[in-house]
Amino acid sequence: SFLEPFFADLNSASNEAIEIMYDVFNISKTGSQGITIFGNANEFNASYIQEIAQNQAALAWHEFRGFLAAIDWSERWIVGLCCFHIILLAIALLSKHYNTFQIIFFCFLTGSVYLAETMNKYLGQNWKSFSRQNYFDKRGVFISVMWSTPLLLVGSVILIQNLWSASNLLVQVKRQELKQRLRQAKKTDAKTE
């Protein structure tokens, strides 16, 4: 049929992708058969994949600890940045009953995350005026971890608070609706008697 070439190309592309994954994760293949989309059940080794996942997690934790160790936590601007994030979190938690304020605050947070790349470039050019070392690399790792991630977490707190509030409001509306139906049912019963 006319779809056979399409599926052949799709199968070939998926086999190439699986080959790349085998190479990336250093998984050795036993047997001379080609790989299919679902793989060969005889070659699947769950304990080996679990070991790879544990090694990746350990490596990520090691790199994160190295990142934290590379930061000079005694620099005033870093302490100020941490205090700034704590204040923002407190504002988000304390303003949960003020929806308009939270919408504006959420827009401020997301706008600040959007400007992170521009801030990284500017701060990377002017780091000597406020810091002892340049934290602002071209990939933006520092600004992503120390600026964007806390802002996104505070934004998530606002989002969760608003979802919780909306769900509670929905429950209240449904309760009122049921009470109203019950009242009307009683009125209709009273009129028919």
Side-chain angles (χ1 to χ4, degrees):
S1 87
F2 69 96
L3 290 177
E4 285 180 10
F6 171 74
F7 284 117
D9 290 342
L10 184 62
N11 193 28
S12 173
S14 67
N15 286 343
E16 287 178 30
I18 291 171
E19 287 285 344
I20 291 170
M21 292 305 292
Y22 273 121
D23 291 340
V24 167
F25 292 111
N26 295 324
I27 299 172
S28 61
K29 295 179 298 239
T30 59
S32 58
Q33 296 177 347
I35 301 169
T36 63
I37 291 175
F38 299 106
N40 186 344
N42 296 331
E43 295 175 7
F44 183 74
N45 186 349
S47 62
Y48 182 69
I49 292 174
Q50 184 178 11
E51 181 183 330
I52 289 173
Q54 288 172 347
N55 289 342
Q56 293 295 326
L59 179 64
W61 177 246
H62 177 73
E63 288 180 6
F64 182 70
R65 284 193 352 233
F67 174 81
L68 293 177
I71 296 172
D72 182 3
W73 295 98
S74 65
E75 289 198 53
R76 295 179 110 179
W77 72 274
I78 292 180
V79 172
L81 182 63
C82 293
C83 291
F84 174 72
H85 290 308
I86 291 169
I87 291 169
L88 291 180
L89 179 62
I91 290 171
L93 293 172
L94 295 174
S95 67
K96 70 179 180 180
H97 299 295
Y98 303 99
N99 291 332
T100 305
F101 176 77
Q102 280 206 331
I103 290 169
I104 295 167
F105 189 50
F106 185 80
C107 291
F108 164 75
L109 295 172
T110 54
S112 298
V113 171
Y114 177 75
L115 293 174
E117 184 179 358
T118 306
M119 288 173 49
N120 189 53
K121 288 178 186 174
Y122 177 78
L123 295 172
Q125 294 168 352
N126 300 304
W127 65 272
K128 291 180 182 177
S129 63
F130 62 90
S131 181
R132 290 183 279 237
Q133 61 179 325
N134 186 4
Y135 294 102
F136 307 99
D137 62 334
K138 290 184 180 183
R139 294 186 312 162
V141 174
F142 179 81
I143 200 136
S144 294
V145 172
M146 295 296 291
W147 178 257
S148 298
T149 301
L151 293 178
L152 290 172
L153 291 174
V154 172
S156 297
V157 166
I158 291 172
L159 187 63
I160 290 168
Q161 285 176 334
N162 284 318
L163 288 173
W164 182 262
S165 175
S167 67
N168 286 337
L169 185 60
L170 183 64
V171 168
Q172 289 174 359
V173 167
K174 284 297 182 183
R175 283 182 182 160
Q176 292 299 324
E177 184 180 310
L178 290 173
K179 287 179 183 178
Q180 183 67 25
R181 284 185 188 172
L182 186 62
R183 281 187 213 124
Q184 287 199 348
K186 285 181 181 179
K187 284 182 183 178
T188 6
D189 286 344
K191 287 181 183 179
T192 57
E193 292 179 358

